Amino acid sequence: MNHLSSSRIGSTQYPYPVRAAAYVRMSTEHQQYSTENQAAALFLYAQQRNIEIVRTYADEGKSGLRLDGRHALKNLLEDIETGAADYSTILVYDVSRWGRFQDPDESASYEIRCKHAGVSVQYCAEQFVNDDSPVSSIIKSVKRTMAGEYSRELSVKVFAGQARLIERGYRQEGTAGFGLRQQFVDHTWAPKALLTRGEHKSIQTDRIILIPGPEEEVAIIGDIYRAFVEEGRSEQEIAGMLNQRGITTDLGRAWTRGTVHQVLINEKYIGNNVWNHGSFKLKNQRVRNSPEQWVRADGAFEPIVNKTLFNAAQAIIQSRSYRLSDEEMLDALRQLYLQQGSLSGLVIDEAENCPSSSAYLSRFGSLLRCYTLIGYTPDRDFSYIEINRGLREQYPHLVEETIEHIRSLGGRVTTDPENGLLTINEEFTVSLVLSRCRMTQAGSSRWIIRFDTGLFPDITVAVRMSPDGTQTLDYYLLPAIDMTVAKLTLAQQNEAGLEIYRFDSLEPLFVLARRTSLREMLS
């Protein structure tokens, strides 16, 4: 039986026509749920219940991870909240059509905004009635969490797959660059056709590698390196020389200090395949990753620059910043900010009288820290990057202090060097987790605890951190036997079933680990 039929339990047959709007979204990862299919299902649902669809809002091919770019949903909410809506209910295919947000509260907020404006929401493909009953509320909460978890798991799988391809020597993203070309190869690495700019592979099993480009372009790349290393010319001088010769970049543009600098620092010219310089996972803000997070395969391609020459160029670039003190580097960045009004890695690299962005990264650890030191606040909030970095620095100290305290009580602790799992007294295992505080759009605090289902620790110790990541708020000792989910979201105040695991210190863990001597037992 069609699950949209009028025999559905709890469905309503209206005695008079009810005006409705339909909202449909085709997610990029769920092409089979096209907007046309959703619209057809909603029409059938409406037809069986005496509902008239007077408007349709459609977001074509839009990811459900963020509201950005979903103009139809924005228009729907605006129409409802400004009183422009000429309908009393909204038909949506299922709960996940609002979005696959990592914070399930964000998905719920859009439904709540509709209801507050007096417009009800009906989920036409769900097996429950959206009647605000406790059962429907629980089901929606579970489905919103599952929708977000699906996106997270998909992101992890996609990243792992991309990383494996990089390590095998395949090109994953971006243009080839001046002096190089992209080539199709099949699964046996047999060469096929060259990939021209704007073209994409059409066969799933085909891969892309980099090969040397035309001889004249390869020679120009060599000229750039020799002019920089052997003649001592700056990037700006080299750009001027190339432009005078009428040579353009691979994009057909004039050379600049920044484009020359990128040629001088990119490892693809010595045959290395390096990926994950930046992250944009789950549609969060793009961040610049530290070198230890890069995925690489050295010697994957045929080099067109001698490695010794390349290393000499890197040494020159790094030495330029070493001649400046920290304050001098920051002052140069401060002056650039006053001139430009904003900062980015590209803006820094294009500036003639300023060290490169890679030099700031090497000296100060991150561009964000440099921005903070000169009083510049980017339009986007990247504070979580520094908080995460701080948590990574705190974590080893927490583990070390915990181990030392257990041993001082007579307990025995061993640490698995590969995964950090603690085994206490050969009796039970413990996983320590630092949980960053995340703020919802409504201003509420949330802490997400992910359980390592691969290690199966007997107890997960979740340490809730303050919003700035500098202070410990409390501890949750979560036994595996009672935790049946892969992820747990904690609020400021939680239900009694969770609060029984909350403690102000790690003393309960130390009690479990403490060993009492025979003399103490007999006294």
Side-chain angles (χ1 to χ4, degrees):
M1 180 181 294
N2 191 311
H3 63 284
L4 295 178
S5 69
S6 59
S7 62
R8 177 175 157 213
I9 297 174
S11 60
T12 301
Q13 180 74 34
Y14 294 101
Y16 52 87
V18 172
R19 296 172 65 85
Y23 174 70
V24 294
R25 175 181 65 83
M26 180 180 70
S27 61
T28 53
E29 73 273 10
H30 264 169
Q31 300 298 328
Q32 69 268 33
Y33 293 132
S34 70
T35 51
E36 292 84 0
N37 290 342
Q38 291 176 52
L42 300 190
F43 176 78
L44 177 61
Y45 177 94
Q47 190 178 46
Q48 294 171 342
R49 290 160 180 78
N50 201 17
I51 297 174
E52 178 187 4
I53 298 177
V54 296
R55 282 202 64 177
T56 296
Y57 300 84
D59 279 318
E60 300 276 358
K62 298 298 183 181
S63 169
L65 289 167
R66 298 177 67 183
L67 186 60
D68 296 354
R70 294 173 61 186
H71 301 297
L73 178 55
K74 292 180 180 178
N75 291 339
L76 181 150
L77 295 171
E78 182 180 0
D79 287 347
I80 289 174
E81 294 178 333
T82 60
D86 57 349
Y87 42 82
S88 60
T89 189
I90 299 171
L91 305 184
V92 185
Y93 187 79
D94 59 22
V95 174
S96 70
R97 292 307 91 194
W98 291 119
R100 298 184 180 276
F101 303 103
Q102 293 304 288
D103 183 355
D105 289 348
E106 184 171 357
S107 178
S109 70
Y110 301 123
E111 178 182 328
I112 292 172
R113 288 169 64 177
C114 295
K115 290 184 176 180
H116 284 177
V119 178
S120 64
V121 175
Q122 300 186 48
Y123 298 113
C124 304
E126 300 287 9
Q127 296 300 307
F128 68 92
V129 179
N130 192 25
D131 56 2
D132 291 327
S133 66
V135 172
S136 69
S137 297
I138 292 172
I139 294 175
K140 285 189 293 184
S141 178
V142 171
K143 284 182 171 288
R144 288 165 183 148
T145 302
M146 289 172 61
E149 187 66 14
Y150 170 84
S151 293
R152 190 190 71 81
E153 290 179 353
L154 182 63
S155 174
V156 171
K157 291 176 182 178
V158 169
F159 179 86
Q162 291 174 322
R164 282 194 297 271
L165 292 176
I166 292 297
E167 291 167 349
R168 292 176 61 187
Y170 297 121
R171 182 75 171 169
Q172 190 62 31
E173 62 179 19
T175 59
F178 191 88
L180 297 168
R181 292 294 185 271
Q182 292 180 320
Q183 184 177 61
F184 283 132
V185 295
D186 63 20
H187 66 284
T188 66
W189 278 74
K192 299 178 74 174
L194 288 178
L195 184 69
T196 60
R197 181 166 176 79
E199 286 185 334
H200 302 278
K201 66 174 187 173
S202 57
I203 302 177
Q204 185 68 23
T205 54
D206 280 351
R207 301 300 176 201
I208 298 172
I209 63 171
L210 292 182
I211 61 172
E215 291 184 3
E216 58 270 21
E217 287 191 20
V218 173
I220 291 170
I221 292 294
D223 292 342
I224 290 175
Y225 273 85
R226 283 187 290 273
F228 185 73
V229 174
E230 298 173 2
E231 301 175 18
R233 297 185 182 275
S234 69
E235 292 98 324
Q236 189 67 48
E237 290 178 303
I238 296 172
M241 293 166 53
L242 293 171
N243 291 332
Q244 286 181 352
R245 292 167 58 184
I247 299 170
T248 59
T249 69
D250 57 311
L251 302 179
R253 301 169 183 168
W255 289 85
T256 65
R257 178 183 186 272
T259 52
V260 172
H261 182 78
Q262 288 302 312
V263 168
L264 290 170
I265 66 172
N266 201 312
E267 293 185 49
K268 65 186 177 184
Y269 291 108
I270 56 171
N272 293 347
N273 196 21
V274 185
W275 178 69
N276 200 37
H277 287 89
S279 297
F280 194 47
K281 294 180 180 178
L282 296 173
K283 303 296 182 180
N284 289 319
Q285 306 296 353
R286 186 175 296 277
V287 297
R288 186 169 182 172
N289 294 326
S290 57
E292 59 267 20
Q293 294 177 284
W294 298 352
V295 179
R296 61 187 306 122
D298 294 344
F301 312 125
E302 180 182 346
I304 64 173
V305 173
N306 179 275
K307 191 172 183 180
T308 302
L309 191 61
F310 180 85
N311 289 338
Q314 309 319 300
I316 292 172
I317 292 171
Q318 293 300 321
S319 67
R320 291 187 306 200
S321 64
Y322 294 144
R323 290 196 290 266
L324 298 174
S325 66
D326 288 358
E327 189 52 43
E328 288 172 329
M329 288 186 67
L330 292 174
D331 187 60
L333 193 62
R334 193 177 291 110
Q335 294 302 317
L336 180 62
Y337 167 50
L338 293 175
Q339 294 171 9
Q340 300 292 332
S342 63
L343 293 174
S344 68
L346 181 61
V347 169
I348 295 171
D349 287 338
E350 291 288 0
E352 176 64 28
N353 299 316
C354 189
S356 66
S357 61
S358 58
Y360 281 103
L361 183 65
S362 175
R363 178 74 69 89
F364 295 97
S366 72
L367 289 180
L368 182 62
R369 182 164 180 260
C370 296
Y371 297 161
T372 301
L373 291 172
I374 67 170
Y376 167 58
T377 303
D379 292 337
R380 296 177 176 176
D381 183 11
F382 294 113
S383 60
Y384 69 92
I385 301 175
E386 288 299 308
I387 292 175
N388 285 345
R389 189 165 69 90
L391 293 181
R392 287 194 297 270
E393 293 174 354
Q394 293 180 54
Y395 182 76
H397 300 293
L398 170 67
V399 174
E400 184 179 353
E401 291 173 1
T402 302
I403 292 174
E404 288 181 357
H405 196 102
I406 292 174
R407 287 175 176 168
S408 71
L409 297 173
R412 298 182 302 278
V413 185
T414 59
T415 307
D416 190 317
E418 293 187 1
N419 53 46
L421 194 67
L422 304 182
T423 300
I424 300 176
N425 299 325
E426 294 84 40
E427 294 176 350
F428 62 95
T429 56
V430 173
S431 174
L432 291 170
V433 177
L434 288 182
S435 182
R436 175 171 65 88
C437 179
R438 306 160 189 258
M439 304 303 294
T440 68
Q441 288 189 338
S444 302
S445 300
R446 293 290 185 272
W447 292 263
I448 298 176
I449 315 299
R450 289 189 172 89
F451 298 98
D452 198 325
T453 54
L455 299 180
F456 297 106
D458 296 308
I459 298 176
T460 297
V461 178
V463 186
R464 293 205 305 180
M465 305 301 294
S466 60
D468 62 1
T470 61
Q471 297 180 357
T472 298
L473 299 180
D474 51 28
Y475 304 83
Y476 278 76
L477 272 61
L478 304 167
I481 193 172
D482 291 340
M483 297 297 115
T484 58
V485 294
K487 182 181 72 172
L488 181 66
T489 300
L490 299 176
Q492 191 73 43
Q493 300 294 330
N494 299 284
E495 60 184 77
L498 287 175
E499 286 300 293
I500 62 174
Y501 302 118
R502 191 189 71 80
F503 302 94
D504 293 328
S505 70
L506 282 178
E507 188 59 30
L509 177 65
F510 299 145
V511 170
L512 291 174
R514 185 174 185 269
R515 281 295 171 266
T516 304
S517 67
L518 180 60
R519 177 176 300 176
E520 289 177 309
M521 293 176 62
L522 296 176
S523 61

